[in-house]
Amino acid sequence: MTEERTRSVRDEILHVSTRMFARHGFSGTSLQRIVDEVGIRKPSLLHHFRSKDALRQAVLDSLFGHWTERIPGLLQAFAGGRARFEALMQELLRFFLEDPDRARLIVRELMDRPDDVRQRLRQTLGPWVQLLGDSIRQSQQAGQLRSDLDPESYLVHMVTLTISTAASMP
């Protein structure tokens, strides 16, 4: 099997798993169901992911990895304030509308494993929320935004609204 084919099989497993975990939950999704959907045999799946839990971790790593890779570039591309916030929100919306199952998976994981997801969110997005919060505070000091706005709460609220909106898309 070529490296390109191996990569596409792995990506397809991640894509199908994202959809199934989002719709049926981790417990409600069997490896057999995933391999049937992908059109491979179980040993092929286990070649890429040693267990169902390893597959779940890889799905979440892929989801959160997008942000780890994408946010620094967005923050560097825009000097700060409103442009930075708008660029981040546009990317957030694009990412989740491109595949609403990504948003559904986060919602599902928050219901099924809230502590795990909160910890992962803090680790992955916490530093960026702080940095964007600082950018909002600069805009507040410059009189461009209301001073009574709590930057981090506002950012978390906007992200939550975006995810829940995308998750409810047909």
Side-chain angles (χ1 to χ4, degrees), residues 33-96:
R33 198 171 185 180
I34 293 168
V35 298
D36 289 347
E37 179 79 18
V38 174
I40 59 174
R41 295 177 319 149
K42 197 180 282 186
S44 296
L45 183 142
L46 295 173
H47 168 76
H48 295 283
F49 308 99
R50 70 184 183 290
S51 66
K52 185 177 168 185
D53 191 55
L55 175 57
R56 177 183 166 269
Q57 292 303 321
V59 165
L60 293 173
D61 289 347
S62 175
L63 183 73
F64 289 108
H66 171 82
W67 297 105
T68 302
E69 293 172 14
R70 192 73 180 109
I71 289 175
L74 288 172
L75 295 179
Q76 287 178 349
F78 298 94
R82 178 177 233 137
R84 189 178 266 183
F85 176 76
E86 286 177 5
L88 179 70
M89 293 308 295
Q90 286 176 356
E91 175 61 18
L92 185 72
L93 192 57
R94 184 206 60 77
F95 179 73
F96 287 117

Side-chain angles (χ1 to χ4, degrees), residues 5 9 16 18-19 22-23 42 46 52 61-62 66 70 84 86 93 101 105 107 121 130 141 147 154:
R5 172 74 177 133
V9 168
V16 168
T18 298
R19 185 176 71 246
R23 293 181 183 176
K42 197 180 282 186
L46 295 173
K52 185 177 168 185
D61 289 347
S62 175
H66 171 82
R70 192 73 180 109
R84 189 178 266 183
E86 286 177 5
L93 192 57
D101 283 325
L105 178 64
V107 171
L121 285 168
Q130 180 64 43
Q141 291 169 353
S147 61
Y154 179 71

Side-chain angles (χ1 to χ4, degrees), residues 150-168:
D150 178 86
E152 287 77 16
S153 294
Y154 179 71
L155 288 167
V156 169
H157 181 70
M158 293 304 293
V159 168
T160 302
L161 283 173
T162 302
I163 291 171
S164 61
T165 298
S168 65

